[in-house]
Amino acid sequence: MQTDAVSRQVSERNQLRTTKFLVTGANGFVGRALCKALRQGGADTVAAVRVRRQPDEVALGDLSAATDWRQALAQVDVVVHLAARVHVMNDTVSDRLAAFRSVNVDATLNLARQAAQCGVRRFVFISSIGVNGAATTAAPFSELSAPRPHSDYALSKLEAEEGLRKLCAETGMEFVIIRPPLVYGADAPGNFHSLLKLVRRRLPMPLGSVRNQRSMVALDNLVDFVIVCSAAPAAANELFLVADQTDVSTPELIRLLGQGMDRPARMLPVPVALLAAGARMAGKGNAFQQLCGSLRLDTGKARQLLGWRAPVHAHEGLRKAAAGFLKDK
């Protein structure tokens, strides 16, 4: 069985040399790594960006329902759609949901519609585990879990998924929807970047009593999974949750990052109930949930249907991310 899975993946990866890709959001954290991996595999890759900085990129400006993709889509076999409006600190727009929908729903379906018209075979859409919710209790999320988007961003991703399914049913273009949790790496933005900075400064953190479990995905693992989904026949018209094979607690996460920087983590055993009360008083409930709550994913479908195994172990990936972050500073 395992030999069959390995042979299948080798065959699928060999298809890269005869496949032309369009990757949106190509200068982002995931997009850069994906384009590099595709090109190393011999794939003809069109990197779509908002502002062109490299000669092998195509600039399309701000994405909208009116963006003309026809030139970028010429002879493309697979689209990987990473570009999105994400959470913005100090967002000043009056209608946040409308702003998310404009890019994440309307612009996505505009691209998908033109892709189908141009003969694209498969559309790989990178969604978010936020579609399922912000936390798990007894059971991990799976592809069968009912969607419960916890934010305007997550709701817009769910609406894009639903629109894409309908459009592909009408046009015959294949889709693959991938819902990753937090994606980490040395250059990761957002909360993971902030955590790396705290570990680098050796600041004591009051998280020693936290007993949670969180699924995350290493950048290398996500890129590997996207490439598998771009070629595997069994991935057509499917939804997948993707994560590292091993979940980690927040204290374990911090210890592993400290090991990667050769800077032992310092954690204080503050009662979780006290942390929760302080977070509520400070209006930081979301931050508390992300640090102290559990968010677990069941990735059995990817293993069983595609024979996929994460090539990088979570412990190795976290140490590597921390070491790379420290080296770049």
Side-chain angles (χ1 to χ4, degrees):
M1 182 71 72
Q2 188 170 355
T3 301
D4 291 342
V6 171
S7 298
R8 186 166 63 249
Q9 289 189 20
V10 169
S11 175
E12 289 158 359
R13 291 167 196 279
N14 285 339
Q15 292 183 36
L16 289 180
R17 299 184 183 90
T18 58
T19 302
K20 183 174 182 179
F21 287 80
L22 169 66
V23 178
T24 72
N27 57 2
F29 169 57
V30 178
R32 291 193 304 271
L34 177 59
C35 287
K36 180 179 179 181
L38 289 172
R39 287 167 176 154
Q40 287 178 341
D44 184 2
T45 305
V46 179
V49 298
R50 188 170 65 85
V51 179
R52 187 169 183 249
R53 295 185 175 90
Q54 301 294 332
D56 57 358
E57 296 175 341
V58 55
L60 289 156
D62 293 328
L63 301 189
S64 73
T67 302
D68 187 346
W69 291 91
R70 286 173 295 180
Q71 184 175 355
L73 286 166
Q75 298 181 321
V76 164
D77 302 293
V78 176
V79 171
V80 180
H81 187 41
L82 289 158
R85 177 183 173 86
V86 298
H87 303 284
V88 180
M89 295 296 292
N90 303 316
D91 202 341
T92 58
V93 297
S94 57
D95 190 337
R96 297 180 71 244
L97 180 55
F100 280 120
R101 281 173 168 157
S102 176
V103 176
N104 297 347
V105 183
D106 299 342
T108 295
L109 298 182
N110 172 55
L111 168 58
R113 191 173 297 108
Q114 292 185 50
Q117 292 169 351
C118 291
V120 168
R121 172 176 57 84
R122 182 169 293 185
F123 192 100
V124 181
F125 178 59
I126 310 303
S127 185
S128 167
I129 197 58
V131 168
N132 289 99
T136 53
T137 52
F141 289 137
S142 75
E143 290 82 1
L144 299 178
S145 300
R148 291 187 174 86
H150 71 285
S151 66
D152 291 341
Y153 165 76
L155 177 58
S156 70
K157 283 291 192 176
L158 174 59
E159 291 175 350
E161 289 182 14
E162 294 170 341
L164 182 61
R165 288 176 185 272
K166 181 179 178 181
L167 187 150
C168 288
E170 294 171 349
T171 63
M173 181 174 66
E174 298 172 352
F175 70 83
V176 183
I177 296 169
I178 301 172
R179 294 179 188 162
L182 182 146
V183 185
Y184 65 86
D187 299 322
N191 293 333
F192 191 78
H193 179 78
S194 299
L195 188 58
L196 285 169
K197 290 195 296 184
L198 288 173
V199 173
R200 182 186 63 187
R201 294 172 63 187
R202 304 186 187 185
L203 295 176
M205 288 176 260
L207 301 169
S209 297
V210 174
R211 299 291 183 268
N212 63 345
Q213 289 290 306
R214 296 194 71 85
S215 297
M216 299 184 293
V217 62
L219 175 62
D220 289 345
N221 288 340
L222 178 59
V223 166
D224 184 82
F225 187 67
V226 169
I227 291 174
V228 169
C229 285
S230 73
N237 304 321
E238 295 287 350
L239 162 69
F240 294 100
L241 307 191
V242 61
D244 295 342
Q245 290 186 16
T246 302
D247 297 339
V248 295
S249 68
T250 297
E252 186 179 17
L253 164 63
I254 294 169
R255 281 193 290 269
L256 289 164
L257 295 179
Q259 290 171 12
M261 296 186 192
D262 197 21
R263 300 186 179 190
R266 301 170 60 195
M267 284 178 286
L268 307 176
V270 177
V272 175
L274 187 59
L275 292 175
R280 285 195 300 270
M281 292 177 62
K284 299 292 184 180
N286 288 339
F288 170 81
Q289 176 58 50
Q290 291 168 0
L291 282 172
C292 302
S294 291
L295 180 64
R296 299 168 56 226
L297 279 63
D298 179 351
T299 59
K301 181 178 177 180
R303 294 193 303 272
Q304 295 162 12
L305 191 62
L306 305 180
W308 184 78
R309 298 291 187 275
V312 178
H313 191 280
H315 293 185
E316 174 192 349
L318 288 165
R319 293 189 190 103
K320 179 183 175 182
F325 173 81
L326 192 62
K327 182 180 179 180
D328 291 341
K329 302 305 170 187

PDB file of all heavy atoms in Angstrom, residues 4-29:
ATOM      1  N   ASP A   4       2.587   1.673  -3.321  1.00  0.00           N
ATOM      2  CA  ASP A   4       1.650   2.202  -4.313  1.00  0.00           C
ATOM      3  C   ASP A   4       1.498   3.709  -4.162  1.00  0.00           C
ATOM      4  O   ASP A   4       1.459   4.439  -5.157  1.00  0.00           O
ATOM      5  CB  ASP A   4       0.285   1.537  -4.166  1.00  0.00           C
ATOM      6  CG  ASP A   4       0.325   0.063  -4.570  1.00  0.00           C
ATOM      7  OD1 ASP A   4       1.295  -0.316  -5.261  1.00  0.00           O
ATOM      8  OD2 ASP A   4      -0.593  -0.670  -4.200  1.00  0.00           O
ATOM      9  N   ALA A   5       1.422   4.191  -2.917  1.00  0.00           N
ATOM     10  CA  ALA A   5       1.263   5.621  -2.671  1.00  0.00           C
ATOM     11  C   ALA A   5       2.489   6.388  -3.138  1.00  0.00           C
ATOM     12  O   ALA A   5       2.379   7.443  -3.777  1.00  0.00           O
ATOM     13  CB  ALA A   5       1.016   5.874  -1.178  1.00  0.00           C
ATOM     14  N   VAL A   6       3.677   5.840  -2.864  1.00  0.00           N
ATOM     15  CA  VAL A   6       4.908   6.503  -3.294  1.00  0.00           C
ATOM     16  C   VAL A   6       4.986   6.542  -4.813  1.00  0.00           C
ATOM     17  O   VAL A   6       5.317   7.584  -5.414  1.00  0.00           O
ATOM     18  CB  VAL A   6       6.138   5.787  -2.703  1.00  0.00           C
ATOM     19  CG1 VAL A   6       7.421   6.344  -3.318  1.00  0.00           C
ATOM     20  CG2 VAL A   6       6.168   5.947  -1.190  1.00  0.00           C
ATOM     21  N   SER A   7       4.667   5.441  -5.465  1.00  0.00           N
ATOM     22  CA  SER A   7       4.702   5.394  -6.929  1.00  0.00           C
ATOM     23  C   SER A   7       3.723   6.386  -7.534  1.00  0.00           C
ATOM     24  O   SER A   7       4.022   7.057  -8.532  1.00  0.00           O
ATOM     25  CB  SER A   7       4.372   3.976  -7.414  1.00  0.00           C
ATOM     26  OG  SER A   7       5.323   3.053  -6.954  1.00  0.00           O
ATOM     27  N   ARG A   8       2.541   6.482  -6.921  1.00  0.00           N
ATOM     28  CA  ARG A   8       1.533   7.422  -7.416  1.00  0.00           C
ATOM     29  C   ARG A   8       2.021   8.860  -7.300  1.00  0.00           C
ATOM     30  O   ARG A   8       1.857   9.664  -8.220  1.00  0.00           O
ATOM     31  CB  ARG A   8       0.233   7.229  -6.635  1.00  0.00           C
ATOM     32  CG  ARG A   8      -0.920   8.055  -7.174  1.00  0.00           C
ATOM     33  CD  ARG A   8      -2.249   7.586  -6.595  1.00  0.00           C
ATOM     34  NE  ARG A   8      -2.311   7.747  -5.153  1.00  0.00           N
ATOM     35  CZ  ARG A   8      -2.324   6.748  -4.279  1.00  0.00           C
ATOM     36  NH1 ARG A   8      -2.248   5.491  -4.700  1.00  0.00           N
ATOM     37  NH2 ARG A   8      -2.400   6.982  -2.984  1.00  0.00           N
ATOM     38  N   GLN A   9       2.652   9.193  -6.173  1.00  0.00           N
ATOM     39  CA  GLN A   9       3.122  10.563  -5.984  1.00  0.00           C
ATOM     40  C   GLN A   9       4.265  10.889  -6.934  1.00  0.00           C
ATOM     41  O   GLN A   9       4.348  12.006  -7.454  1.00  0.00           O
ATOM     42  CB  GLN A   9       3.543  10.774  -4.534  1.00  0.00           C
ATOM     43  CG  GLN A   9       2.369  10.802  -3.569  1.00  0.00           C
ATOM     44  CD  GLN A   9       2.775  11.225  -2.172  1.00  0.00           C
ATOM     45  OE1 GLN A   9       3.815  11.842  -1.976  1.00  0.00           O
ATOM     46  NE2 GLN A   9       1.941  10.907  -1.210  1.00  0.00           N
ATOM     47  N   VAL A  10       5.150   9.918  -7.193  1.00  0.00           N
ATOM     48  CA  VAL A  10       6.228  10.154  -8.148  1.00  0.00           C
ATOM     49  C   VAL A  10       5.648  10.448  -9.524  1.00  0.00           C
ATOM     50  O   VAL A  10       6.079  11.365 -10.233  1.00  0.00           O
ATOM     51  CB  VAL A  10       7.180   8.940  -8.197  1.00  0.00           C
ATOM     52  CG1 VAL A  10       8.139   9.062  -9.383  1.00  0.00           C
ATOM     53  CG2 VAL A  10       7.949   8.813  -6.895  1.00  0.00           C
ATOM     54  N   SER A  11       4.639   9.664  -9.922  1.00  0.00           N
ATOM     55  CA  SER A  11       4.002   9.874 -11.217  1.00  0.00           C
ATOM     56  C   SER A  11       3.348  11.250 -11.296  1.00  0.00           C
ATOM     57  O   SER A  11       3.476  11.952 -12.313  1.00  0.00           O
ATOM     58  CB  SER A  11       2.954   8.781 -11.463  1.00  0.00           C
ATOM     59  OG  SER A  11       2.239   9.026 -12.643  1.00  0.00           O
ATOM     60  N   GLU A  12       2.665  11.632 -10.226  1.00  0.00           N
ATOM     61  CA  GLU A  12       1.988  12.923 -10.216  1.00  0.00           C
ATOM     62  C   GLU A  12       2.990  14.069 -10.290  1.00  0.00           C
ATOM     63  O   GLU A  12       2.774  15.067 -10.992  1.00  0.00           O
ATOM     64  CB  GLU A  12       1.116  13.034  -8.971  1.00  0.00           C
ATOM     65  CG  GLU A  12      -0.113  12.115  -9.023  1.00  0.00           C
ATOM     66  CD  GLU A  12      -0.695  11.809  -7.659  1.00  0.00           C
ATOM     67  OE1 GLU A  12      -0.132  12.298  -6.658  1.00  0.00           O
ATOM     68  OE2 GLU A  12      -1.693  11.063  -7.587  1.00  0.00           O
ATOM     69  N   ARG A  13       4.107  13.948  -9.584  1.00  0.00           N
ATOM     70  CA  ARG A  13       5.110  15.013  -9.605  1.00  0.00           C
ATOM     71  C   ARG A  13       5.798  15.116 -10.966  1.00  0.00           C
ATOM     72  O   ARG A  13       6.227  16.195 -11.378  1.00  0.00           O
ATOM     73  CB  ARG A  13       6.126  14.791  -8.483  1.00  0.00           C
ATOM     74  CG  ARG A  13       5.513  15.009  -7.103  1.00  0.00           C
ATOM     75  CD  ARG A  13       6.424  14.494  -6.010  1.00  0.00           C
ATOM     76  NE  ARG A  13       5.684  14.375  -4.762  1.00  0.00           N
ATOM     77  CZ  ARG A  13       5.427  15.377  -3.945  1.00  0.00           C
ATOM     78  NH1 ARG A  13       5.866  16.578  -4.229  1.00  0.00           N
ATOM     79  NH2 ARG A  13       4.747  15.197  -2.837  1.00  0.00           N
ATOM     80  N   ASN A  14       5.908  13.988 -11.659  1.00  0.00           N
ATOM     81  CA  ASN A  14       6.500  14.020 -12.995  1.00  0.00           C
ATOM     82  C   ASN A  14       5.650  14.835 -13.962  1.00  0.00           C
ATOM     83  O   ASN A  14       6.146  15.336 -14.972  1.00  0.00           O
ATOM     84  CB  ASN A  14       6.683  12.599 -13.530  1.00  0.00           C
ATOM     85  CG  ASN A  14       7.855  11.882 -12.879  1.00  0.00           C
ATOM     86  OD1 ASN A  14       8.750  12.525 -12.331  1.00  0.00           O
ATOM     87  ND2 ASN A  14       7.858  10.557 -12.931  1.00  0.00           N
ATOM     88  N   GLN A  15       4.357  14.968 -13.641  1.00  0.00           N
ATOM     89  CA  GLN A  15       3.468  15.761 -14.491  1.00  0.00           C
ATOM     90  C   GLN A  15       3.804  17.252 -14.454  1.00  0.00           C
ATOM     91  O   GLN A  15       3.370  18.000 -15.328  1.00  0.00           O
ATOM     92  CB  GLN A  15       2.020  15.553 -14.056  1.00  0.00           C
ATOM     93  CG  GLN A  15       1.474  14.163 -14.312  1.00  0.00           C
ATOM     94  CD  GLN A  15       0.019  14.059 -13.918  1.00  0.00           C
ATOM     95  OE1 GLN A  15      -0.757  14.997 -14.070  1.00  0.00           O
ATOM     96  NE2 GLN A  15      -0.381  12.915 -13.399  1.00  0.00           N
ATOM     97  N   LEU A  16       4.561  17.661 -13.446  1.00  0.00           N
ATOM     98  CA  LEU A  16       4.906  19.084 -13.343  1.00  0.00           C
ATOM     99  C   LEU A  16       5.583  19.585 -14.615  1.00  0.00           C
ATOM    100  O   LEU A  16       5.378  20.722 -15.038  1.00  0.00           O
ATOM    101  CB  LEU A  16       5.833  19.326 -12.154  1.00  0.00           C
ATOM    102  CG  LEU A  16       5.238  19.194 -10.752  1.00  0.00           C
ATOM    103  CD1 LEU A  16       6.299  19.479  -9.707  1.00  0.00           C
ATOM    104  CD2 LEU A  16       4.048  20.123 -10.571  1.00  0.00           C
ATOM    105  N   ARG A  17       6.397  18.747 -15.212  1.00  0.00           N
ATOM    106  CA  ARG A  17       7.170  19.177 -16.385  1.00  0.00           C
ATOM    107  C   ARG A  17       6.298  19.464 -17.596  1.00  0.00           C
ATOM    108  O   ARG A  17       6.744  20.126 -18.531  1.00  0.00           O
ATOM    109  CB  ARG A  17       8.203  18.105 -16.734  1.00  0.00           C
ATOM    110  CG  ARG A  17       9.212  17.846 -15.625  1.00  0.00           C
ATOM    111  CD  ARG A  17      10.271  16.839 -16.071  1.00  0.00           C
ATOM    112  NE  ARG A  17      11.204  16.540 -14.999  1.00  0.00           N
ATOM    113  CZ  ARG A  17      11.028  15.555 -14.110  1.00  0.00           C
ATOM    114  NH1 ARG A  17       9.958  14.768 -14.219  1.00  0.00           N
ATOM    115  NH2 ARG A  17      11.908  15.343 -13.158  1.00  0.00           N
ATOM    116  N   THR A  18       5.072  18.962 -17.574  1.00  0.00           N
ATOM    117  CA  THR A  18       4.173  19.189 -18.709  1.00  0.00           C
ATOM    118  C   THR A  18       2.952  20.011 -18.302  1.00  0.00           C
ATOM    119  O   THR A  18       1.975  20.077 -19.048  1.00  0.00           O
ATOM    120  CB  THR A  18       3.708  17.840 -19.299  1.00  0.00           C
ATOM    121  OG1 THR A  18       3.053  17.070 -18.276  1.00  0.00           O
ATOM    122  CG2 THR A  18       4.897  17.061 -19.843  1.00  0.00           C
ATOM    123  N   THR A  19       3.009  20.632 -17.137  1.00  0.00           N
ATOM    124  CA  THR A  19       1.880  21.410 -16.628  1.00  0.00           C
ATOM    125  C   THR A  19       2.259  22.874 -16.506  1.00  0.00           C
ATOM    126  O   THR A  19       3.340  23.205 -16.008  1.00  0.00           O
ATOM    127  CB  THR A  19       1.436  20.883 -15.243  1.00  0.00           C
ATOM    128  OG1 THR A  19       1.084  19.510 -15.354  1.00  0.00           O
ATOM    129  CG2 THR A  19       0.237  21.667 -14.721  1.00  0.00           C
ATOM    130  N   LYS A  20       1.369  23.737 -16.955  1.00  0.00           N
ATOM    131  CA  LYS A  20       1.580  25.175 -16.790  1.00  0.00           C
ATOM    132  C   LYS A  20       0.679  25.672 -15.666  1.00  0.00           C
ATOM    133  O   LYS A  20      -0.528  25.415 -15.660  1.00  0.00           O
ATOM    134  CB  LYS A  20       1.278  25.929 -18.090  1.00  0.00           C
ATOM    135  CG  LYS A  20       1.568  27.435 -17.979  1.00  0.00           C
ATOM    136  CD  LYS A  20       1.407  28.144 -19.316  1.00  0.00           C
ATOM    137  CE  LYS A  20       1.735  29.625 -19.195  1.00  0.00           C
ATOM    138  NZ  LYS A  20       1.607  30.339 -20.492  1.00  0.00           N
ATOM    139  N   PHE A  21       1.273  26.398 -14.720  1.00  0.00           N
ATOM    140  CA  PHE A  21       0.569  26.885 -13.550  1.00  0.00           C
ATOM    141  C   PHE A  21       0.424  28.401 -13.579  1.00  0.00           C
ATOM    142  O   PHE A  21       1.312  29.114 -14.061  1.00  0.00           O
ATOM    143  CB  PHE A  21       1.340  26.536 -12.266  1.00  0.00           C
ATOM    144  CG  PHE A  21       1.292  25.096 -11.871  1.00  0.00           C
ATOM    145  CD1 PHE A  21       2.122  24.163 -12.489  1.00  0.00           C
ATOM    146  CD2 PHE A  21       0.434  24.658 -10.872  1.00  0.00           C
ATOM    147  CE1 PHE A  21       2.102  22.832 -12.115  1.00  0.00           C
ATOM    148  CE2 PHE A  21       0.400  23.329 -10.496  1.00  0.00           C
ATOM    149  CZ  PHE A  21       1.233  22.413 -11.120  1.00  0.00           C
ATOM    150  N   LEU A  22      -0.677  28.874 -13.030  1.00  0.00           N
ATOM    151  CA  LEU A  22      -0.828  30.277 -12.658  1.00  0.00           C
ATOM    152  C   LEU A  22      -0.979  30.303 -11.145  1.00  0.00           C
ATOM    153  O   LEU A  22      -1.883  29.666 -10.597  1.00  0.00           O
ATOM    154  CB  LEU A  22      -2.052  30.908 -13.317  1.00  0.00           C
ATOM    155  CG  LEU A  22      -2.438  32.303 -12.784  1.00  0.00           C
ATOM    156  CD1 LEU A  22      -1.362  33.327 -13.117  1.00  0.00           C
ATOM    157  CD2 LEU A  22      -3.794  32.755 -13.347  1.00  0.00           C
ATOM    158  N   VAL A  23      -0.102  31.021 -10.469  1.00  0.00           N
ATOM    159  CA  VAL A  23      -0.153  31.149  -9.016  1.00  0.00           C
ATOM    160  C   VAL A  23      -0.459  32.608  -8.682  1.00  0.00           C
ATOM    161  O   VAL A  23       0.288  33.512  -9.052  1.00  0.00           O
ATOM    162  CB  VAL A  23       1.179  30.740  -8.364  1.00  0.00           C
ATOM    163  CG1 VAL A  23       1.126  30.938  -6.849  1.00  0.00           C
ATOM    164  CG2 VAL A  23       1.514  29.287  -8.701  1.00  0.00           C
ATOM    165  N   THR A  24      -1.576  32.843  -8.001  1.00  0.00           N
ATOM    166  CA  THR A  24      -1.899  34.201  -7.565  1.00  0.00           C
ATOM    167  C   THR A  24      -1.345  34.418  -6.166  1.00  0.00           C
ATOM    168  O   THR A  24      -1.106  33.473  -5.423  1.00  0.00           O
ATOM    169  CB  THR A  24      -3.416  34.443  -7.556  1.00  0.00           C
ATOM    170  OG1 THR A  24      -4.013  33.709  -6.463  1.00  0.00           O
ATOM    171  CG2 THR A  24      -4.049  34.005  -8.868  1.00  0.00           C
ATOM    172  N   GLY A  25      -1.133  35.688  -5.813  1.00  0.00           N
ATOM    173  CA  GLY A  25      -0.494  35.960  -4.532  1.00  0.00           C
ATOM    174  C   GLY A  25       0.922  35.420  -4.503  1.00  0.00           C
ATOM    175  O   GLY A  25       1.431  34.981  -3.470  1.00  0.00           O
ATOM    176  N   ALA A  26       1.593  35.472  -5.649  1.00  0.00           N
ATOM    177  CA  ALA A  26       2.869  34.783  -5.825  1.00  0.00           C
ATOM    178  C   ALA A  26       4.019  35.417  -5.058  1.00  0.00           C
ATOM    179  O   ALA A  26       5.062  34.784  -4.875  1.00  0.00           O
ATOM    180  CB  ALA A  26       3.221  34.710  -7.308  1.00  0.00           C
ATOM    181  N   ASN A  27       3.867  36.659  -4.616  1.00  0.00           N
ATOM    182  CA  ASN A  27       4.944  37.265  -3.831  1.00  0.00           C
ATOM    183  C   ASN A  27       4.646  37.240  -2.339  1.00  0.00           C
ATOM    184  O   ASN A  27       5.326  37.898  -1.551  1.00  0.00           O
ATOM    185  CB  ASN A  27       5.244  38.689  -4.304  1.00  0.00           C
ATOM    186  CG  ASN A  27       4.017  39.586  -4.245  1.00  0.00           C
ATOM    187  OD1 ASN A  27       2.937  39.149  -3.821  1.00  0.00           O
ATOM    188  ND2 ASN A  27       4.168  40.830  -4.660  1.00  0.00           N
ATOM    189  N   GLY A  28       3.635  36.477  -1.933  1.00  0.00           N
ATOM    190  CA  GLY A  28       3.329  36.312  -0.520  1.00  0.00           C
ATOM    191  C   GLY A  28       4.155  35.206   0.099  1.00  0.00           C
ATOM    192  O   GLY A  28       4.953  34.531  -0.562  1.00  0.00           O
ATOM    193  N   PHE A  29       3.960  34.985   1.387  1.00  0.00           N
ATOM    194  CA  PHE A  29       4.716  33.992   2.158  1.00  0.00           C
ATOM    195  C   PHE A  29       4.612  32.596   1.541  1.00  0.00           C
ATOM    196  O   PHE A  29       5.622  31.936   1.299  1.00  0.00           O
ATOM    197  CB  PHE A  29       4.200  34.007   3.599  1.00  0.00           C
ATOM    198  CG  PHE A  29       4.679  32.894   4.470  1.00  0.00           C
ATOM    199  CD1 PHE A  29       6.031  32.677   4.657  1.00  0.00           C
ATOM    200  CD2 PHE A  29       3.774  32.066   5.133  1.00  0.00           C
ATOM    201  CE1 PHE A  29       6.484  31.648   5.475  1.00  0.00           C
ATOM    202  CE2 PHE A  29       4.206  31.047   5.948  1.00  0.00           C
ATOM    203  CZ  PHE A  29       5.562  30.831   6.125  1.00  0.00           C
TER     204      PHE A  29
END
